[in-house]
Amino acid sequence: MSATQRRARLARRHAVAPAHRVGDAVGATRAVMALHATEPATVHLSVHARVDEAAGDEQAGGERAGDEPAAGLDRALHVDRSLVRQLAMRRTLFVFPRDLLGAAWGSAAARVAQSEEARLAKDLAASGEVADPAGWLAQTRTAVLEVLGDRPEGLTAIELRSSVPGLEVRLAGGATYAGSRVLTWLGARGEVVRGHNTTHWRQSRPRWTLLEHWLDDRPPPMGPAEGYAALVRCWLERFGPATEADLVWWLGATKGAVRAALGALGAVEVDLEGAGRGHLLPDDLEEEPPVEPWAALLPVLDPSVMGWKQRDFYLPAHAGALFDRNGNAGTTAWWDGRVVGCWVQDPDGVVEVRLLDDVGREARAGLAVEAARVTRRLAGQRVGTVYPSPAMRADPGDLTYPVVRA
C-alpha cells in the first residue's frame, strides 16, 4: 500500500478533510475510535475539526458566547452519556463511545489499573505514613465507593479528600496527595468516572461519580483477549494499515497481546511503502479512492497525529519541531495528508499558521480558511497547553516562511 493511499484513508476515515466531515460529536469520536482527553480543550477542538458546520453550532463541539461548550458535545458527554471519559491505553485519558468501554475495561484499562495499584502501593510504602499499603488501598477504595454511593451527583477530588481522611496522605516528597492517585486507579478499574465538569471547557475539574450512577446500562467488561481484539478491530478500521510496532505502542500492550488479537481477527499482512509490513482487516483490502487536496488544523494531542508510532507517511521531516521531548504532539497544520506546520493564537486570539514547508499558494489559501474557521469557534478565547511544541514556542522572527493568518 502506497503512502498516498494511506493519506487518503486518513483524510476520509478520520473525517479531517472538509468534504468528509461528519454530523455530530459521536461521529467525530468514532472517526478516530477515541479522542485524547489529557487536555480538556483537545476534545472540543478535535470534534470541531471533524464536524461539518452545516450540522449547526450545537453539533460542532466548539464554543458559544458565554464561555459554554456547544450543546452537541456537552449533551453527548453529560446528558446522553454516549461519550464517556476513561483512562486506558498508555495511562492516557480518552473519550470513548459508550459501547467500547467494555473492551477497554477488560484490556488496556485493566492493564493500567494493575500498574497503578502496584505503583501506588510502592509510593505509599515509601511515604512512611502507611504500614500496610495493600490493606490501606482496600480500605480506602471501600470508603470512597461508600461515600460516592450516597452522592449520585458526585464529588470533586477536594470534596472527597474532606470526606475520606485517608485521601489526604502525602506521598514521598510531599507534593502529591494519595487521593488523586486513588481516583486514577479506581477510574482505570471502571468503578468511578469523571462526571460533570465544574469549570469551563478548557479546564478539567470533574465531579467523580460512581459508574453505576453515571451509566444506567453499563456495558459488561470483556475478557482480556476479547477486549484487545475489539480495540484492535476498531483501530484497524480507522487507522489501518498498521505495523505491529504501531499497535504495541498505541495500545500500551505487549507484543503477545497484539499478535493474539491480529490472529483472532484474521488480519492480513500488506507491504507498506517505505515502512515494512503492516496489517489490515481481511474485509478492508479495497483501494481507497483519491481525495481532493485538503487543509486541516488539529489541536494538541489529536488522535490523527498521535495514532501511529511510525509516522513517516504523514510526518516526513518535522517530528522534532512538532513534538516535545516526551513524544507529545503540539498543534498541527495539515495539507493534503501531510503535516506542514503548527498553529497558535496571536495576542488577540486570532489563529495563525506557522509553516515548516513551502506549501504553495493553494495550500496557504486552504489553511487560511481553516484558520478563520477555528478563530470563529474560539471567539477570542485563548487555549493554553502544557505541551507546546518547539514550533509553537518559536520566536516569530525566526520563522522561515510567512505566517498564514485567518
Side-chain angles (χ1 to χ4, degrees):
M1 178 175 289
S2 69
T4 300
Q5 276 280 294
R6 297 181 74 186
R7 290 192 289 269
R9 282 173 168 255
L10 185 157
R12 183 174 283 107
R13 299 186 186 200
H14 288 201
V16 286
H20 299 284
R21 290 176 179 144
V22 293
D24 59 27
V26 175
T29 305
R30 290 192 184 282
V32 286
M33 182 179 156
L35 296 172
H36 280 259
T38 302
E39 292 200 335
T42 291
V43 179
H44 294 270
L45 295 175
S46 289
V47 167
H48 172 249
R50 293 171 169 85
V51 172
D52 188 349
E53 286 187 325
D57 283 348
E58 290 195 352
Q59 293 297 329
E63 178 72 8
R64 280 181 169 183
D67 202 33
E68 294 293 332
L73 179 57
D74 188 64
R75 183 168 57 249
L77 285 168
H78 300 122
V79 180
D80 302 337
R81 297 168 191 179
S82 50
L83 299 176
V84 181
R85 296 179 180 89
Q86 173 65 46
L87 196 74
M89 296 76 72
R90 309 184 314 280
R91 198 182 177 275
T92 297
L93 185 65
F94 287 88
V95 167
F96 281 91
R98 186 194 293 208
D99 57 9
L100 272 182
L101 288 173
W105 288 330
S107 57
R111 180 177 171 86
V112 170
Q114 183 178 25
S115 174
E116 282 298 299
E117 183 175 1
R119 289 177 60 245
L120 184 50
K122 180 179 178 180
D123 291 344
L124 286 166
S127 73
E129 296 191 38
V130 177
D132 176 17
W136 185 95
L137 283 170
Q139 181 179 359
T140 304
R141 169 182 172 271
T142 297
V144 170
L145 298 182
E146 285 181 351
V147 168
L148 290 179
D150 294 332
R151 301 293 296 268
E153 73 281 9
L155 294 170
T156 66
I158 293 175
E159 291 168 339
L160 273 167
R161 283 209 309 269
S162 66
S163 301
V164 182
L167 297 181
E168 294 186 326
V169 168
R170 295 275 191 172
L171 298 178
T176 305
Y177 287 108
S180 62
R181 297 274 298 279
V182 169
L183 291 172
T184 295
W185 169 52
L186 296 180
R189 287 170 61 93
E191 294 181 309
V192 302
V193 64
R194 292 164 175 81
H196 290 290
N197 193 18
T198 61
T199 185
H200 58 72
W201 65 279
R202 291 157 295 155
Q203 293 183 0
S204 179
R205 295 176 189 165
R207 292 190 180 277
W208 290 88
T209 308
L210 287 185
L211 189 70
E212 62 197 60
H213 288 161
W214 192 250
L215 299 181
D216 53 8
D217 57 344
R218 168 180 174 163
M222 296 181 181
E226 184 185 7
Y228 276 122
L231 292 184
V232 170
R233 172 181 286 281
C234 288
W235 193 94
L236 287 176
E237 286 174 349
R238 314 317 303 177
F239 290 82
T243 66
E244 182 181 284
D246 289 329
L247 281 163
V248 168
W249 175 82
W250 189 83
L251 285 169
T254 64
K255 289 183 179 180
V258 167
R259 289 170 182 171
L262 290 171
L265 296 169
V268 176
E269 282 197 344
V270 295
D271 287 319
L272 302 179
E273 181 182 359
R277 304 284 287 177
H279 302 271
L280 280 173
L281 294 173
D283 58 353
D284 189 26
L285 304 177
E286 296 296 322
E287 184 171 331
E288 191 79 12
V291 177
E292 291 296 315
W294 55 275
L297 299 182
L298 301 183
V300 169
L301 299 174
D302 187 87
S304 292
V305 186
M306 296 289 294
W308 292 269
K309 181 178 178 63
Q310 298 175 318
R311 300 168 173 140
D312 287 353
F313 76 97
Y314 66 93
L315 187 69
H318 303 307
L322 297 169
F323 286 72
D324 69 17
R325 65 183 62 186
N326 294 316
N328 300 301
T331 61
T332 49
W334 295 65
W335 175 249
D336 201 20
R338 294 181 179 87
V339 179
V340 296
C342 70
W343 61 273
V344 298
Q345 290 174 277
D346 72 10
D348 296 321
V350 175
V351 170
E352 58 183 31
V353 179
R354 297 180 169 186
L355 295 171
L356 299 176
D357 288 322
D358 184 4
V359 295
R361 181 179 301 176
E362 182 184 9
R364 290 195 298 270
L367 289 166
V369 169
E370 295 307 306
R373 183 173 184 263
V374 179
T375 297
R376 288 195 304 272
R377 194 58 66 190
L378 292 176
Q381 297 187 80
R382 298 184 60 80
V383 176
T385 178
V386 297
Y387 303 112
S389 65
M392 294 171 68
R393 297 195 309 267
D395 187 315
D398 295 335
L399 300 178
T400 303
Y401 302 103
V403 167
V404 175
R405 300 184 186 278

